Amino acid sequence: MLTETPRAEIANRLPIIMFSTLPKSPLAAAGIAAVVAVVVSVSDASVSDAFVTALPPPGHWLLMSAALVVAYVIFGIAGFGTALVASPILAYAMPVAQIVPMLALLDFGAASGNVMRNARAADMGELKRRLPAILAGSLAGGALLLHLQPDVLLRSLAWFVCGYALFSLIGPRATSRLSQAWAVPFGVLGGMFGAMFGSGGFVFAIYLTSRLERVEAMRVTQATLIGFSTLARAALFLFAGVYANASMLVTALSLVPAMIVGMWLGRHITLRLSRAQFVKAVNLVVLAAGVALLIRSH
């Protein structure tokens, strides 16, 4: 059993230890930095003890960490999928209502890290066309949550995603690129479903794999879109007061190392893939996402 002084010392030093051991990680993300700023500013011993108390039990933390390593391996390869992969496991260890807000912080950190490594590889034309649409879709998705029952919409989306992925995997090869006119509807849909269900990245991936040729351009452009989408989502959660929950913020901070490990593994796998292999991997993840959505909608 720890005495009061060591517990307070651990609480004060934990964020510093995490940062010093991961110098090239995506920890510069604003959401995670905000959490650390709050923790470091705490000097009262009783509040420091509360920080330690807010950490999840060791068994739950190990379960969540394992789920997030796998989820961020997928994210490192495809640029999306954390909510669909990790949510079923996280639901056993934390309140369901906290999962999407917490993943928004971690996803923003992960996406920011991808962009910071090679920002010049992003396709600026695609970004300019889609970022305003994503913002509009995020706002629309938040409004729809208040007025519509999302079950029918979710089921329709799931069937569309499954059908698209199967067609891409086993159908005839496309002879031309998707028109850039589809940038706005795909951006709106991705932002909308991101805000409603915590997962809109597969919509961005469907568009980008039909538009861009270079793997690195697809990966970095996807990461930029995800970063913007999750930032908009996190801002909505912030204004709604969701991040007033200190326990969720402490849990997010404690799971950053799992996110880093998964991203590192996913990136190193991606570097060994050709464009055809990369697109196939993305379509397999899209198909898995569609199946997961179908299961979730029933």
Side-chain angles (χ1 to χ4, degrees), residues 221-296:
T221 305
Q222 172 81 355
T224 306
L225 294 173
I226 290 294
F228 184 82
S229 177
T230 52
L231 178 60
R233 197 183 315 158
L236 293 175
F237 290 137
L238 179 64
F239 289 128
V242 175
Y243 292 130
N245 187 317
S247 176
M248 180 183 63
L249 296 179
V250 171
T251 299
L253 180 62
S254 73
L255 292 171
V256 167
M259 178 264 284
I260 303 271
V261 171
M263 287 294 296
W264 184 86
L265 291 172
R267 174 173 171 77
H268 280 72
I269 292 172
T270 303
L271 293 175
R272 292 171 170 79
L273 299 178
S274 66
R275 185 188 187 280
Q277 292 171 326
F278 179 82
V279 171
K280 183 176 181 179
V282 170
N283 285 324
L284 286 171
V285 177
V286 169
L287 178 60
V291 173
L293 288 174
L294 278 175
I295 294 172
R296 183 176 172 180

Side-chain angles (χ1 to χ4, degrees), residues 32-57:
I32 300 301
V35 177
V36 176
V38 172
V39 174
V40 172
S41 66
V42 171
S43 58
D44 184 74
S46 62
V47 181
S48 298
D49 286 344
F51 171 79
V52 175
T53 304
L55 290 168

Side-chain angles (χ1 to χ4, degrees), residues 97-269:
Q98 295 180 10
I99 293 175
V100 172
M102 184 187 76
L103 289 179
L105 292 176
L106 293 173
D107 282 358
F108 179 67
S112 298
N114 274 344
V115 175
M116 288 166 61
R117 287 191 187 95
N118 194 8
R120 294 181 179 179
D123 189 302
M124 295 305 298
E126 296 293 352
L127 293 177
K128 290 177 181 178
R129 283 189 286 270
R130 300 190 65 190
L131 290 180
I134 291 172
L135 178 59
S138 297
L139 295 174
L144 287 173
L145 274 178
L146 301 176
H147 298 94
L148 295 179
Q149 293 183 348
D151 293 349
V152 175
L153 194 61
L154 182 63
R155 194 174 297 115
S156 301
L157 172 69
W159 282 114
F160 166 75
V161 169
C162 288
Y164 170 85
L166 287 172
F167 178 81
S168 298
L169 288 168
I170 63 177
R173 296 283 182 89
T175 56
S176 61
R177 294 197 307 171
L178 195 66
S179 169
Q180 69 181 36
W182 286 97
V184 171
F186 272 97
V188 171
L189 282 176
M192 184 184 302
F193 287 110
M196 295 178 70
F197 308 116
S199 183
F202 56 88
V203 180
F204 305 151
I206 289 172
Y207 175 84
L208 290 178
T209 54
S210 300
R211 287 282 302 168
L212 302 180
E213 291 296 326
R214 294 184 298 114
V215 170
E216 188 66 4
M218 283 189 280
R219 195 180 64 81
V220 178
T221 305
Q222 172 81 355
T224 306
L225 294 173
I226 290 294
F228 184 82
S229 177
T230 52
L231 178 60
R233 197 183 315 158
L236 293 175
F237 290 137
L238 179 64
F239 289 128
V242 175
Y243 292 130
N245 187 317
S247 176
M248 180 183 63
L249 296 179
V250 171
T251 299
L253 180 62
S254 73
L255 292 171
V256 167
M259 178 264 284
I260 303 271
V261 171
M263 287 294 296
W264 184 86
L265 291 172
R267 174 173 171 77
H268 280 72
I269 292 172

